[in-house]
Amino acid sequence: MKTIFFPDQTLNDGTYAATIGFFDGVHQGHQFLMERLKREAAERGLLSMAITFERHPRQVVQGEWKLELLTDLHEKLRLLKSTGIDVVVVLRFNRQMAGLSAREFMQLMHDRLGVRMLLTGYDNRFGHDRTEGFEDYQRYGRDLGIEVMCGDALSLGEQNVSSSWVRHLLKEGNVEEATRCLGRPYNISGQVVHGEQIGRTIGFPTANLQPDEDCLLIPQDGVYAVMVDLDNGQQKPGIMNIGTRPTFNGTNRTLETNLLEPVGNLYGQTLIIHFIARLRNEQQFPSAEALAEQIKKDKELAEEILGKIEG
């Protein structure tokens, strides 16, 4: 897969069937759209192209907007590459680009990116103020020489798969359903930093994670069964607690991982945490001993759940 950053780089090597979107999470709905795009491109003798954004457009238009993303740019490009499309164009979106009408933007796609067929997402709108819709895009396309088609939604049960729905699930702690929508477990990465070492005092040393990106969504507070990628390429089972440690009157939100088997010193390592199942809410216990007993039960349950995956 070729990746170009527009307008710093341009294409002059062919004509394309394209789709455009932020593609946060590259979930099952996005993957479904990419499969359709590849088929339509092949039928027309075109190459396939996904056009996405370096920064979320709302960051540019609404500077104070708080990000809660499912993937950073690096992870998004990796996932888009895995879909098998030919080219990803990353727009360095700015206020000038945000001011383009849908027709002007389609003109840019035609003239500068070689787009001859555009497959829009079922709910996707683009262009300044996003007031125009699919019929407008078709009309502009006829004028410009771009065939415009509308993609279908992918439904799991009664719910259309979307980035906003996945965010909702993660905020509810429903990582199992988020996995079904994403086609893989949700993950975050971060460096192991020194914490207050409370876990060590009750027999359960934890790796205190500092997320790599402060724009990524952290699931709802609670205890989760997780799989952990280590720096050395190994993957280990564990449990993660997200919350404020109310048993110890904590106030700061922390992300602490306890591996189910010892692996030595993790300080300074970058871990990738894959959320497999939610075990329970974070809660306040009457004593450190009571918390330790609960953690033992958490680990036993996590072993049972994760053992089925590893098996």
Side-chain angles (χ1 to χ4, degrees):
M1 182 192 80
K2 179 189 296 185
T3 303
I4 74 159
F5 286 78
F6 183 85
D8 299 5
Q9 302 165 286
T10 56
L11 285 167
N12 55 9
D13 60 351
T15 51
Y16 293 86
T19 188
I20 182 169
F22 191 67
F23 304 125
D24 188 26
V26 194
H27 52 63
Q28 296 264 45
H30 295 141
Q31 295 165 40
F32 180 67
L33 182 68
M34 298 303 166
E35 287 302 313
R36 167 86 181 275
L37 178 68
K38 289 189 295 181
R39 290 197 305 271
E40 300 290 352
E43 288 176 6
R44 291 160 177 77
L46 302 172
L47 298 171
S48 56
M49 171 191 290
I51 303 172
T52 191
F53 300 82
E54 184 178 37
R55 301 169 62 201
H56 196 288
R58 288 181 65 179
Q59 279 183 280
V60 176
V61 178
Q62 305 171 17
E64 299 302 314
W65 182 62
K66 183 181 183 300
L67 294 176
E68 287 186 308
L69 300 181
L70 304 173
T71 45
D72 61 19
L73 180 61
H74 175 79
E75 177 74 353
K76 180 167 66 174
L77 292 178
R78 184 188 71 79
L79 292 167
L80 286 172
K81 180 178 181 179
S82 73
T83 68
I85 58 173
D86 296 307
V87 174
V88 173
V89 174
V90 182
L91 299 178
R92 296 196 187 277
F93 198 71
N94 54 34
R95 287 196 170 272
Q96 180 181 0
M97 199 174 290
L100 296 177
S101 68
R103 193 187 193 288
E104 289 169 332
F105 191 74
M106 289 178 67
Q107 181 87 59
L108 179 149
M109 286 192 284
H110 179 278
D111 295 350
R112 304 283 300 279
L113 297 174
V115 174
R116 298 296 180 266
M117 183 268 186
L118 179 65
L119 179 65
T120 68
Y122 74 97
D123 62 347
N124 189 33
R125 289 175 180 265
F126 57 86
H128 177 62
D129 74 23
R130 300 173 66 183
T131 56
E132 296 149 302
F134 180 69
E135 291 183 356
D136 299 304
Y137 306 152
Q138 282 190 311
R139 187 171 70 255
Y140 304 149
R142 285 192 293 269
D143 295 339
L144 296 168
I146 299 176
E147 180 186 2
V148 181
M149 302 180 70
C150 185
D152 299 317
L154 176 68
S155 299
L156 295 179
E158 298 181 357
Q159 182 64 49
N160 290 342
V161 178
S162 67
S163 301
S164 58
W165 178 243
V166 175
R167 291 187 200 103
H168 167 79
L169 292 170
L170 292 170
K171 288 179 179 180
E172 294 289 317
N174 191 348
V175 295
E176 297 91 337
E177 187 63 18
T179 293
R180 201 160 77 98
C181 291
L182 289 168
R184 66 188 186 279
Y186 181 65
N187 71 77
I188 58 174
S189 63
Q191 188 176 50
V192 179
V193 298
H194 289 276
E196 297 180 22
Q197 300 187 333
I198 292 174
R200 191 177 302 276
T201 66
I202 60 173
F204 297 99
T206 60
N208 191 38
L209 202 72
Q210 178 63 49
D212 288 335
E213 301 284 348
D214 59 9
C215 62
L216 294 183
L217 189 151
I218 304 299
Q220 184 189 49
D221 289 2
V223 180
Y224 296 87
V226 299
M227 295 299 296
V228 182
D229 295 345
L230 307 180
D231 268 355
N232 62 9
Q234 291 183 305
Q235 187 176 72
K236 298 292 184 181
I239 59 174
M240 168 168 268
N241 183 83
I242 301 174
T244 59
R245 298 170 300 177
T247 302
F248 301 99
N249 299 314
T251 56
N252 296 324
R253 195 183 195 205
T254 61
L255 289 76
E256 297 178 300
T257 301
N258 177 257
L259 298 182
L260 301 188
E261 53 191 72
V263 295
N265 185 7
L266 293 174
Y267 287 120
Q269 285 199 36
T270 295
L271 308 182
I272 302 175
I273 310 296
H274 304 269
F275 291 88
I276 307 301
R278 183 178 172 84
L279 303 180
R280 62 175 173 86
N281 294 333
E282 187 184 45
Q283 61 193 94
Q284 185 171 13
F285 291 88
S287 65
E289 291 75 20
L291 172 59
E293 282 300 313
Q294 181 58 54
I295 294 176
K296 285 175 60 177
K297 295 176 183 177
D298 295 337
K299 294 184 72 170
E300 289 170 1
L301 179 56
E303 280 184 334
E304 180 181 344
I305 293 170
L306 299 173
K308 294 176 182 176
I309 295 174
E310 293 181 295

